[in-house]
Amino acid sequence: MTFALAGLRVLDVSTLFAGPLAATMLGDFGAEVIKIEHPKGDPVRYHGASKDGVGLWGKVVGRNKRGITLYLGSPEGQEVFRKLVATADVVIENFRPGTLERWGLGYDELSRINPGLVLVRVTGFGQFGPYSGRPGFGTLAEAMSGFAAITGEPDGPPTLPPFGLADGISALAAAFATMTALRARDTTGRGQVVDLAIIEPILTLLGPQPTVYDAVGEVQPRTGNRSANNAPRNTYRTRDGRWVAISTSAQSIAERVMHLVGRPEFIDEPWFASGAERAKHADELDEAVGSWIAARDRDEVVRAFEEAHAAVAPIYDVRDVLADPQFQALGSLVRVPDPELGSVLMQNVIFRLSDTPGAVVSAGPSIGQHTEEVLGELGIDADEVAVLRSKGAL
């Protein structure tokens, strides 16, 4: 198989979660990713569920990577890292600003070794500014970006997502930034620094809130599952105790829903012609739609909406995702062989390329699984490896 990013070498020295996931995405399309961990292991190995003492999250985030241990706080570890940098195209790190510089591994030094190197720095608040020295996690970005403030019921508290939303968005942004910097290198011949603050990508995805506030002084409130831009738009419980979600962003869809639920008279109301005006009548519309849905089982509701060419989706948990024929047709999940666990089921690559598709070739390695192999490629023999281990560098 020909991979789009074959020949690209990435050193992943980041942890939890945005940086490692960005490296994973590059590895999914053929980049050679070397995961460099502290000898104690990346904390992701100890997050969440495990099987037979093996962390499952690490198997996913570490996929398609070779894993080595290296203590960058030691002079010996720093020297090995410099040798690796000489062979690399990209380094992804998420230490607090100034940490690499304190170790003598700042970009001035790394670019001296390798002028074409792209250094991707993923931190909570960026490399400068009053908060740059703070520890940064996705939760803080979800809070400070405005996401939590608009999430939840109107009379309830701000709500945080139960997964790494800001980290995941930042990982996508970091992977894009990496490829952008590499494209620039094709023109200039020089690498550069990517400074990605986790608080920013999620802010961008929240839409025109700053623009709206600046222009007309509006602050978006919490509206639960409703939207200020269209209605009906909500989750609705079916007769068999399941849930569906519907959206009527298009006027034609809203009209079809009203015909389907037996309330076509709403369409003739002057306010029905505008999504924003319909949203002001959400109580009425939700009662009409919700009562119709509540009298039917989920599969019947979904079938009726599909026949009416109206937008509906059943609300799934992970069991439903695994059983769904659309996910199966897309190959959205893949089972990967693994020497520790036999096999691991995980999400497949996030998009398909017609000529150079990506693939999940291997699950995440055990701690230091490829240390001797990778160092051997640098000309460091077994005796030198033993010395490095004795000094705590590996």
Side-chain angles (χ1 to χ4, degrees):
M1 183 180 294
T2 300
F3 289 102
L5 301 183
L8 187 70
R9 174 173 269 203
V10 178
L11 306 182
D12 174 14
V13 294
S14 58
T15 61
L16 290 179
F17 285 97
L21 186 55
T24 301
M25 293 174 183
L26 299 174
D28 283 352
F29 289 90
E32 178 197 1
V33 181
I34 299 174
K35 174 66 178 179
I36 300 173
E37 300 178 71
H38 188 283
K40 294 180 180 179
D42 188 322
V44 73
R45 295 184 179 277
Y46 313 108
H47 260 65
S50 63
K51 180 182 179 182
D52 300 333
V54 179
L56 298 176
W57 211 330
K59 287 296 178 184
V60 176
V61 179
R63 72 192 198 188
N64 292 341
K65 301 179 184 180
R66 291 196 290 169
I68 73 170
T69 58
L70 193 62
Y71 177 42
L72 297 184
S74 70
E76 296 82 6
Q78 292 160 11
E79 187 55 35
V80 173
F81 185 66
R82 290 186 181 95
K83 292 180 180 179
L84 283 167
V85 164
T87 72
D89 298 283
V90 178
V91 170
I92 301 177
E93 64 97 2
N94 68 341
F95 300 109
R96 289 197 200 185
T99 300
L100 283 184
E101 287 75 10
R102 189 171 69 250
W103 289 336
L105 299 173
Y107 190 67
D108 288 347
E109 168 66 6
L110 300 184
S111 63
R112 182 191 64 78
I113 297 168
N114 182 349
L117 183 74
V118 171
L119 176 62
V120 182
R121 316 193 79 166
V122 182
T123 57
F125 302 101
Q127 296 295 310
F128 57 92
Y131 303 159
S132 60
R134 293 181 181 180
F137 297 98
T139 297
L140 309 187
E142 289 145 11
M144 293 180 64
S145 64
F147 171 84
I150 64 170
T151 304
E153 294 300 323
D155 56 351
T159 302
L160 296 167
F163 67 102
L165 176 63
D167 282 304
I169 295 170
S170 294
L172 287 162
F176 171 61
T178 300
M179 299 311 299
T180 302
L182 290 170
R183 178 66 181 89
R185 189 181 70 174
D186 292 342
T187 302
T188 67
R190 302 187 307 275
Q192 60 183 299
V193 176
V194 172
D195 177 8
L196 188 144
I198 295 175
I199 58 173
E200 291 184 304
I202 188 172
L203 175 64
T204 296
L205 265 64
L206 288 175
Q209 289 186 50
T211 308
V212 171
Y213 176 72
D214 180 68
V216 298
E218 291 183 4
V219 176
Q220 184 174 338
R222 288 191 291 282
T223 56
N225 291 321
R226 288 179 171 177
S227 168
N229 300 310
N230 72 84
R233 191 262 197 184
N234 213 327
T235 60
Y236 306 89
R237 190 167 187 169
T238 60
R239 182 172 59 190
D240 53 353
R242 297 177 174 182
W243 292 85
V244 297
I246 72 168
S247 175
T248 55
S249 297
Q251 181 67 22
S252 59
I253 297 294
E255 293 176 6
R256 290 171 194 166
V257 170
M258 290 300 102
H259 281 293
L260 174 63
V261 303
R263 301 298 297 273
E265 70 273 13
F266 279 119
I267 300 172
D268 297 326
E269 295 288 346
W271 49 262
F272 196 85
S274 162
E277 289 300 311
R278 291 201 310 273
K280 296 176 183 178
H281 295 262
D283 287 342
E284 300 166 69
L285 294 170
D286 273 348
E287 191 283 326
V289 173
S291 61
W292 186 90
I293 289 175
R296 293 161 175 82
D297 291 344
R298 187 189 71 177
D299 291 348
E300 180 184 354
V301 170
V302 171
R303 184 166 55 251
F305 266 73
E306 289 178 345
E307 289 173 353
H309 300 286
V312 67
I315 292 178
Y316 281 172
D317 64 22
V318 66
R319 295 167 295 186
D320 300 309
V321 171
L322 296 183
D324 184 84
Q326 182 62 32
F327 285 119
Q328 292 173 359
L330 293 173
S332 303
L333 297 151
V334 62
R335 186 168 295 280
V336 185
D338 180 72
E340 292 184 289
L341 297 176
S343 67
V344 185
L345 183 72
M346 63 183 71
Q347 299 93 329
N348 209 337
V349 299
I350 61 173
F351 55 83
R352 283 162 291 280
L353 296 178
S354 61
D355 290 343
T356 55
V360 183
V361 177
S362 62
S366 58
I367 297 176
Q369 179 178 332
H370 303 99
T371 299
E372 285 81 2
E373 176 183 307
V374 172
L375 268 58
E377 294 168 0
L378 298 175
I380 300 174
D381 62 27
D383 291 340
E384 292 176 280
V385 169
V387 171
L388 289 169
R389 289 194 188 282
S390 69
K391 292 185 176 182
L394 302 179

